[in-house]
Amino acid sequence: PEVMKMLALGMAVGLGMLGPALAIGLIGYSALQSLGRNPEASGPILTNMILVTAFAEAIAIYVLIVAIVLLFV
């Protein structure tokens, strides 16, 4: 039972972290692409990129907290 619990926990964390990882990669790709097209707008683009990256990272932190709670239940 303990092994299955740890396996399920690892799969949940792995799949849960996949979304934010892909989101952060796409955010960086889109920001660099838009900076290449319009270098004068670097201020607002970088500000929005950092803000959206923080939101995507927050989802990963929620996944980590749920994993820690499931570990001790």
Side-chain angles (χ1 to χ4, degrees), residues 35-71:
L35 281 174
R37 291 175 186 251
N38 191 3
E40 294 85 20
S42 65
I45 291 172
L46 289 179
T47 302
N48 289 333
M49 182 190 76
I50 291 171
L51 184 66
V52 174
T53 302
F55 289 148
E57 193 68 31
I59 295 171
I61 293 171
Y62 291 148
V63 170
L64 182 63
I65 291 171
V66 168
I68 291 172
V69 167
L70 288 176
L71 180 66

